[in-house]
Amino acid sequence: MEKPTRLALLKEIAEFLNEETEMYSMMHGGLRYLINGSNFTTGWIFFINEEGDHELVSSVDLPGALSKKDCHYMTNGSCWCVKAYNNKKLTKAYNIINCSRINLANQESEKDDYLITHHATVPLRSGDEQYGLLNVATPHTVVYSQDDLELLESVALQIGSAIKRIYLTDQEKEAARISERNRLARDLHDSVNQMLFSLKLTAHAAHDITEDR
């Protein structure tokens, strides 16, 4: 099937991301669009928290060498990408010349017809905020073209913006939930106070009636 033009692909991805409200389905769907509509054949996303810890949160069509043992080789051992990200040195899309994790996975696996040796990486960001890394690869490809890297950066910005939007939406929902809970608590408190005041008046009235008799 013929691949869409770069502009058409970015439009498709943008339309999909704008409709998604759940974080993980958004990332996985956006990554799937990228892999299906470009020269890349596999991709994966790491979330990286403020402490620098990374988590594999999405992957598409990983080759056997990388998907074995529940993606053990993707999340263990030294990783230049994550180190560069945490050191604020990864600011755009890069060709990764030598990935120690991929090398180890290939060395410890039988020959794979879908062999990945090199990948490209780019930070997921929105403005000054960064959320993790988007990595992509193609079998038997050592260097990814400038056009490929520019496409990767464009999609990373789209996904980063969608992440921020969903974060903000979730924060707004949580704030609204807390506000409603506090309002209900105040209403209950006021209701209880009113009931107690009414009971107090009733008790005084009953006491006065009893004394009159």
Side-chain angles (χ1 to χ4, degrees), residues 203-213:
H204 280 302
H207 181 268
D208 292 343
I209 292 173
T210 302
E211 284 190 345
D212 288 344
R213 291 180 178 179

Side-chain angles (χ1 to χ4, degrees), residues 83-132:
K83 286 182 179 179
Y85 175 95
N86 287 332
N87 291 331
K88 311 297 183 184
K89 293 181 179 180
L90 189 58
T91 58
K92 60 180 182 179
Y94 281 96
N95 279 294
I96 302 304
I97 303 303
N98 186 19
C99 177
S100 56
R101 289 182 173 180
I102 290 178
N103 289 342
L104 182 60
N106 289 335
Q107 290 170 10
E108 299 189 8
S109 300
E110 295 180 2
K111 185 176 180 181
D112 198 322
D113 292 333
Y114 188 24
L115 189 63
I116 298 295
T117 57
H118 297 67
H119 72 86
T121 187
V122 65
L124 294 171
R125 71 176 193 273
S126 178
D128 295 330
E129 297 182 64
Q130 294 194 152
Y131 308 103

Side-chain angles (χ1 to χ4, degrees), residues 25-50:
S25 64
M26 176 275 294
M27 288 187 296
H28 188 75
L31 183 56
R32 170 60 69 184
Y33 267 99
L34 173 62
I35 299 307
N36 289 347
S38 69
N39 295 324
F40 305 121
T41 55
T42 185
W44 58 98
I45 293 176
F46 288 130
F47 260 3
I48 303 177
N49 62 23
E50 294 180 354

